Amino acid sequence: MTKLKLAIVGAGPAGIYAADILLKAERKFDVSIDLFEQLPAPYGLVRYGVAPDHPRIKGIINALRNVIDHGDMRLFGNVHFGTDITLEDLKRHYNAVIFATGAVRDSALDIPGIDAAHSFGAAEYVSWFDGHPDVSPEWTLDAESVGVIGNGNVALDVARMLAKHADDLLVTEIPDNVYQGLKASRITDVHVFGRRGPAQVKFTPLELRELGELRDVDMVVYDEDFQYDEASQQAVASNKQVMVMDRIMQSWRKLDSVNNAGGTASRRLHLHFWARPVEVKKDENGRVAALVYERTESDGAGGAVGTGELREVPMQGLYRAIGYFGSPLAGVPFDKKHGVIPNREGQVLETKSNQRVPGIYTTGWIKRGPVGLIGHTKSDAMETVQHLINDQGSWWHPEDPSDEAIPALLAERGVQWTDLDGWHRLDAHEIALGEAHESTRERVKLVPRDEMVRVSRGE
Ligand code: NAP
């Protein structure tokens, strides 16, 4: 029987779902899969993007674990595509490759002062609180007032992880350095800014409701933002999710803290709508001092137009959560404008000619952009895998498809790769750290890359 030797680059949900779908698909050939991951641990965004206090979503790891533990699959962790292994190598040893590298950078916000000290992208902060090995373990939380730009779920994660008291996170897997950093936080006010109105948010109801349940945090909303025009009324009436979220926010309007008066909590989380950021003001040391925004109003069709009125909120830190952006991969076509690999239903296309590039496929956020929940990645992978199966005639013909070739190549290059057994060792080590913790936690994540590699490799 013919064999498909497939490389998948990226061991996050997109790559693992693609592997699962291919292994279960009706097909006339055998499959063996090598999963390459630049981090020493698998699970990508679920491990390093989902907030630690969202165990339900983190639970997706159980399904992903089943796939990598039971499929005909090898894991090569701590292997960076483009340096440790190249596209030329993959062509020499595989029939095809699927790139599932996600989108982990922050989109840029082109306003004056955005380069101020203590102005961050959401991804940087998320990586820190999720214990990403490539981010400094130190994070200074000495600001009393901070801003978060954006009205999507990432903005909510960032705002919640800024406002929440550190001790309420002790039940989660946060690493000790994150607990210490949050414990030292001097925050009193988190201001979230949306450039459109409450009926145009991109949050989801569960995530929004959660804000109101935070201990010792008052929700602050402003009456002036809730004067709905016909478009907003229509948006609320026609969409169940928007209706639920409107109800949640309306319930906050009934609290004492509305318009920032009379709350009793030591921290406040403000939602500002119709607020388009226009400038970040700096202090004499170049640090964020205030966000200037233009008050907007509805354009009658779901969008917003400026009113010319400028307002200013003092703050000492700013986080922009306005969307993620994909990174280019060496030798692989890339659409610089949208931050994705150009493709037709997962079949990769040349940037200029739009011609198909045989043997190269893509799935997940690097295929369709950073939108949609993790579950959406499954249908995405199905589409890509179906093409891979149908395209058997245009697969690569590798010189050396043997199982020994890749370990030999990595060893020759001095790459300290980690494998599936190594991941099991690291996983067990983190679980043991959690058990040993005074408050007994499910796991405590190991952060430094060299330590992760050392434990994985049993050194
Ligand atoms: P998102 O949902 O696309 O939200 C981006 C937000 O940034 C929007 O409110 C957008 O406003 C705003 N924005 C964009 N450009 C802006 C600008 N120049 N100035 C001001 N605001 C700007 O993206 P995301 O929050 O990064 O989330 C990505 C995906 O991951 C989403 O599907 C999300 O649901 C998912 N996610 C889910 C969870 C969860 O389930 N708990 C957690 C995190 C992420 P406009 O709407 O006006 O464009």
Side-chain angles (χ1 to χ4, degrees), residues 85-289:
I85 192 133
T86 65
L87 189 61
E88 288 314 308
D89 297 327
L90 298 183
K91 285 184 179 166
R92 212 167 296 127
H93 302 293
Y94 296 90
N95 297 108
V97 56
I98 300 180
F99 288 101
T101 48
V104 294
R105 284 188 297 160
D106 289 291
S107 289
L109 180 62
D110 191 14
I111 59 172
I114 196 70
D115 60 342
H118 290 251
S119 161
F120 305 105
E124 296 174 70
Y125 183 55
V126 171
S127 296
W128 174 73
F129 68 59
D130 260 336
H132 194 294
D134 297 343
V135 173
S136 161
E138 310 293 332
W139 194 280
T140 309
L141 288 163
D142 60 354
E144 289 181 2
S145 173
V146 297
V148 179
I149 300 174
N151 267 182
N153 280 330
V154 172
L156 289 191
D157 279 349
V158 168
R160 192 181 69 256
M161 287 296 293
L162 285 165
K164 201 163 179 164
H165 290 275
D167 286 338
D168 295 338
L169 286 158
L170 263 182
V171 290
T172 73
E173 62 182 28
I174 51 164
D176 284 334
N177 65 299
V178 175
Y179 172 72
Q180 300 301 343
L182 292 171
K183 185 76 182 163
S185 173
R186 296 177 55 206
I187 250 166
T188 58
D189 291 85
V190 179
H191 297 269
V192 179
F193 300 90
R195 61 182 172 182
R196 297 188 287 153
Q200 287 82 33
V201 293
K202 291 203 176 133
F203 311 141
T204 41
L206 264 184
E207 281 65 28
L208 182 66
R209 181 175 293 121
E210 203 182 344
L211 294 188
E213 293 162 359
L214 297 180
R215 182 182 64 82
D216 191 30
V217 178
D218 276 336
M219 290 307 299
V220 184
V221 290
Y222 296 87
D223 281 339
E224 62 174 353
D225 291 340
F226 290 84
Q227 315 304 321
Y228 289 166
D229 70 345
E230 216 180 303
S232 288
Q233 285 170 15
Q234 185 67 28
V236 173
S238 61
N239 182 309
K240 182 112 187 287
Q241 290 218 344
V242 178
M243 195 183 292
V244 173
M245 291 194 285
D246 176 57
R247 222 174 279 151
I248 294 168
M249 288 186 275
Q250 298 289 352
S251 75
W252 293 336
R253 288 181 72 189
K254 298 193 182 85
L255 299 176
D256 279 352
S257 53
V258 167
N259 304 320
N260 205 9
T264 54
S266 68
R267 294 181 175 178
R268 284 160 296 281
L269 207 161
H270 309 244
L271 299 183
H272 303 266
F273 297 99
W274 308 111
R276 187 177 68 84
V278 292
E279 185 188 350
V280 181
K281 286 206 169 157
K282 300 179 187 174
D283 67 11
E284 61 283 5
N285 299 317
R287 177 174 176 160
V288 173

Side-chain angles (χ1 to χ4, degrees), residues 296-316:
T296 59
E297 62 186 14
S298 168
D299 67 358
V305 287
T307 62
E309 180 193 342
L310 296 183
R311 295 185 185 179
E312 194 171 310
V313 178
M315 59 186 65
Q316 305 83 44

